Amino acid sequence: MAAHTTYDRPVAPARAPAGARRRRRRPTAWIFAGPAAALFALFFAYPLGASLLQSFTTEDAGATHWVGLDQYRRMIHDPAFLESLFNTGIILAVQVPVMIGLALVLAVLLNQSWLRFRGTWRAVYFLPAVTTLVAYAVVFQVLLKTDGGLVNQILGAIGIGQVDWLNSPTWARVSLIASLTWRWTGYNAVILLAGLQSIGKEQYEAAAIDGATTLSTYTRVILPQLRPVVLFCVITSTIGTLQLFDENYVLTRGGPDDATLTPVVYLYKVGFQQLDFGYAAAIAWVVVALIAAISALQYVAFGRERRR
Amino acid sequence: MSTRPTRRVVLATGLATAASSLVSGCAMGGAGGKDARDIGGRKDDEGGKVSGKITVWSWDVAAKAMKRFARTFEKRHPGTTVDVVDIGYDNAYDKITVGLRGGSGLADVLTVEGSHMPRYIGNFPSGFYDLTSLGGRYGGDFDRAAWRTVTGKDGAVFALPWDIGPCALYYRTDHFRAAGVDPKSLLTWDDYVDVGVRIKKATGRKLLIMDSTDAGILPMLLQQQGQSYFKGGRVAVDTPEAVKALTLMKTLHDKGLVDYEKGWDGLVTGTKEGKATTTPTAAWWTGTLSDEMPELRGRFGVVPLPGFTADGIRTSNIGGSTLCVPGQSKNPRLAWAFIQFLLTGKANQVSMLKREGLFPAYLPALDDPYLSAEQEYFGGQAALDVFARLARNIPPVENNKDDAKATDIMISAVTGVMLRGKDPRSALNSAARQLATATGRERVK
């Protein structure tokens, strides 16, 4: 397909001996790729390697010492770090499935031809994802204030007592999960909607001719085809959860009593407040390893059926 | 609230710092050597000629005060330029940390709060100019507790104290009157709890505002008893004093006397709305009261903090800042001259108290008649005088490079006790164990 390109020369057909041609140096290519490659090496590859090295060191009064795996061992016994993983686990188990489920329902609704102002609705649901953090945090703090917050006022009006949303460890978790869902459901719905729209009308028609109900059309015909898109949403949401920083840092500072602490907020505290850079680097690498491992697991679990 | 670091920024700066630190190898902190350099001026620098330009980092009213005095300084020393930059509080410490770590990019004079200074001196011992030979002689003029925050091991001086925050108890005169309680009768914390219960019954108001995501009044209660989180380099978070302090906090919570609000804004709004009837805090709160709630003029009074015993220490310290010269400064002599001009004179200090509400750590300034004058906002009470008297009794406590670690662990301990009903003694015990592991320090026995 690339043979149609008019610039330079056509790419060699696949059957040609690949090695010979590809090995020839092309200065033009390097002129274009060079700056990007240099930037990549300087700002990505090098810091990555450096932070890995740093995770094996500790500092005392400005002097650096090699400590091997000590920082990683320390994590196993660090209650705050373990709590941050536990919190992440809860969000992964509760928030991500609820959000993807809601996003699917939303996507299906937004895809209906009878829906008026579809463009407006899509924009409305996508909007939270592009809201600035400050506005988002202020709005949620105002909504969830214990005294006089809108949510508590409504609860009071229907005869339910006040809930200490942000000051009770349990309710702070609920608040965080709710705010994450508010912020990211529409975003995932728009991605799922794009997936839905790539499925042709004829599929619905064929299902209708075969006498399928609307429900079974979706569960048996449409959703199975959406599997890769859902997988994408699940994996990006999982990565987002493991890297969670903004929402819980602004809303609750990871508190109360570490109930909303996440590994990245903990990393920030350890590195930038406690100035314990080696340990922070080690935490960063454990987060990276976790993201890689969980994404791989999900890929295997969700992707399996497709290969059959 | 304005510019919190986003996740990406934090990670990017984290990686960038990691990178630059390895570039600079073991010589971190920017001064290039193992120990801090001396500025090397004559001891009596008054006659020395300074020239050139310096940049000063500060924020909020402190920046305002310095901008005002920078002009005077420039006039007195022709050929000098002092550029004061308000870097904002929210990112100040990230910027300072990154600059110290990377060894470049800092201003010539930095504002650092007293409570943060030991952590920087401990972690970046070569990151600052050693001011001992120039500033050491002022030691006796400054508040002892504040002086301790600017001195490192072997008594080396790394900064001059600027302002301090002597603590007392602010109370609502109208609430106390409504409940028929005399604030002068508040001698001990036990009295405080009793009074809280009575006022709550009479007015429905709670006693004080705390934030559920920090350690609240714990550091204040500890300092009042003469200790911090460490004693002689050892972990001291489970001492009898600490148990007493946290038990008091639990009692306040259990009796329903604590109103929880988020952060600084929550404290200000809650106070304005009269949610709590007292505020145990520092002298600088007077400025916040008169600026943020002028409509409550005449409703506040100030008494010394309750003590743990009737004859115990009745004050403590919250906040306060210092000025230092980072090792990477290109013009340390001018930087020092500006610090000396700003902080070692009575007139300038009193002027900053009047105009910007910065309560001087410089003791000679406390004798100024301005401090004993009656204040209209406090219904004619000489509120500053209460603080000026208390300021000389602030117990100096130990701070070190692991303060931030201790704070994080203590926040968990405090919130665990107050919000999840844990037992203070066992919570502090486990906090001590954690802190000992995290810092490699022994525990006080």
Side-chain angles (χ1 to χ4, degrees), chain B residues 34 40 60 75 79 91 102 111 229 242 272 300 359-360 363 374 386 440:
Chain B
K34 191 110 181 56
D60 205 40
K75 250 176 242 153
N91 291 322
T111 310
Y229 295 144
K272 202 174 161 100
F300 291 98
F359 197 90
L363 298 174
E374 290 176 356
V386 176

Side-chain angles (χ1 to χ4, degrees), chain A residues 45-269:
Chain A
Y46 174 70
L48 216 59
S51 77
L52 183 61
L53 277 181
Q54 195 172 30
S55 75
F56 300 120
T57 66
T58 186
E59 275 163 48
D60 185 32
T64 308
H65 308 283
W66 187 265
V67 291
L69 291 171
D70 276 6
Q71 307 281 21
Y72 291 92
R73 270 184 224 119
R74 188 175 147 193
M75 244 176 272
I76 304 169
H77 305 290
D78 183 346
F81 179 69
L82 297 179
E83 177 90 10
S84 76
L85 287 186
F86 176 72
N87 295 333
T88 307
I90 289 185
I91 298 173
L92 280 181
V94 178
Q95 195 265 335
V96 173
V98 167
M99 175 180 67
I100 304 285
L102 277 174
L104 260 176
V105 173
L106 259 182
V108 168
L109 288 177
L110 291 175
N111 198 32
Q112 299 305 314
S113 51
W114 47 261
L115 186 72
R116 284 180 170 222
F117 311 116
R118 270 191 292 176
T120 316
W121 288 114
R122 284 172 205 172
V124 164
Y125 281 105
F126 190 74
L127 218 52
V130 294
T131 310
T132 68
L133 195 59
V134 176
Y136 164 69
V138 168
V139 166
F140 267 83
Q141 281 179 347
V142 171
L143 287 177
L144 296 174
K145 258 180 81 157
T146 305
D147 285 328
L150 186 65
V151 175
N152 272 351
Q153 281 185 11
I154 293 171
L155 288 181
I158 57 173
I160 302 172
Q162 282 195 342
V163 174
D164 213 356
W165 291 107
L166 296 175
N167 295 314
S168 126
T170 315
W171 288 113
R173 274 196 194 125
V174 175
S175 306
L176 176 63
I177 285 174
S179 66
L180 283 172
T181 309
W182 176 81
R183 191 162 190 216
W184 296 111
T185 301
Y187 175 85
N188 284 298
V190 169
I191 295 173
L192 290 166
L193 180 62
L196 275 177
Q197 289 181 337
S198 70
I199 296 170
K201 268 208 168 66
E202 63 280 3
Q203 306 246 4
Y204 296 90
E205 285 160 6
I209 290 168
D210 287 345
T213 61
T214 315
L215 185 69
S216 55
T217 306
Y218 276 102
T219 52
R220 306 254 179 120
V221 181
I222 307 301
L223 292 186
Q225 297 187 63
L226 263 189
R227 185 179 287 271
V229 186
V230 173
L231 177 65
F232 173 81
C233 287
V234 168
I235 289 184
T236 49
S237 303
T238 303
I239 293 175
T241 304
L242 283 162
Q243 295 183 333
L244 196 62
F245 179 88
D246 306 346
E247 285 88 349
N248 55 335
Y249 186 76
V250 175
L251 212 55
T252 53
R253 287 286 140 90
D257 198 17
D258 293 347
T260 58
L261 188 70
T262 54
V264 182
V265 169
Y266 189 53
L267 180 160
Y268 171 75
K269 286 185 168 181

Side-chain angles (χ1 to χ4, degrees), chain B residues 56-79:
Chain B
V56 180
W57 278 0
S58 195
W59 55 80
D60 205 40
V61 288
K64 222 163 90 185
M66 281 207 271
K67 276 179 187 159
R68 195 154 65 82
F69 281 104
R71 301 293 84 83
T72 324
F73 181 83
E74 284 167 353
K75 250 176 242 153
R76 221 177 270 184
H77 300 272

Side-chain angles (χ1 to χ4, degrees), chain B residues 138 140-143 343-347 349-350 360-369 371 392:
Chain B
Y138 294 109
D141 293 338
F142 285 94
D143 171 70
L343 302 184
T344 63
K346 191 173 156 177
Q349 291 271 13
V350 172
Y362 186 68
L363 298 174
L366 298 182
D367 298 330
D368 193 88
L371 282 108
R392 298 173 198 273

Side-chain angles (χ1 to χ4, degrees), chain B residues 100-114:
Chain B
L100 282 169
R101 181 74 208 206
S104 70
L106 292 177
D108 300 278
V109 175
L110 303 180
T111 310
V112 176
E113 282 165 286

Side-chain angles (χ1 to χ4, degrees), chain A residues 42-44 46-51 53-54 59-64 74 77-80 83 133-134 137-138 141 145-147 164 166-170 173 184 240 243-247 249-259 264 266-278 284, chain B residues 1-8 10-11 13-23 25-28 34 90 93-94 97-98 101 119-120 122-126 153 206 211-213 259-262 269 273 275 401-402 404-406 408-409 411-413 415-417 419-420 422 434 437-439:
Chain A
L42 189 64
F43 290 107
F44 197 78
Y46 174 70
L48 216 59
S51 77
L53 277 181
Q54 195 172 30
E59 275 163 48
D60 185 32
T64 308
R74 188 175 147 193
H77 305 290
D78 183 346
E83 177 90 10
L133 195 59
V134 176
V138 168
Q141 281 179 347
K145 258 180 81 157
T146 305
D147 285 328
D164 213 356
L166 296 175
N167 295 314
S168 126
T170 315
R173 274 196 194 125
W184 296 111
Q243 295 183 333
L244 196 62
F245 179 88
D246 306 346
E247 285 88 349
Y249 186 76
V250 175
L251 212 55
T252 53
R253 287 286 140 90
D257 198 17
D258 293 347
V264 182
Y266 189 53
L267 180 160
Y268 171 75
K269 286 185 168 181
V270 167
F272 284 82
Q273 291 174 356
Q274 305 179 2
L275 307 179
D276 196 342
F277 298 106
Chain B
M1 189 63 60
S2 55
T3 45
R4 294 276 175 227
T6 65
R7 174 167 65 223
R8 206 167 304 141
V10 168
L11 289 178
T13 42
L15 291 169
T17 352
S20 56
S21 69
L22 278 141
V23 172
C26 63
M28 287 160 209
K34 191 110 181 56
D90 284 343
Y93 290 108
D94 287 345
T97 303
V98 168
R101 181 74 208 206
R119 155 175 90 115
Y120 282 129
N123 283 292
F124 303 104
S126 58
K153 270 186 287 181
K206 293 185 176 179
D211 186 332
S212 61
T213 56
D259 176 60
Y260 292 98
E261 302 288 339
K262 273 268 140 358
T269 330
E273 290 167 4
K275 287 191 176 158
K401 73 186 182 79
D402 292 326
K405 258 178 214 167
D408 273 350
I409 289 171
I411 288 172
S412 299
T415 49
V417 166
L419 304 172
R420 287 185 169 160
K422 288 184 192 164
Q434 272 182 56
T437 319
T439 59

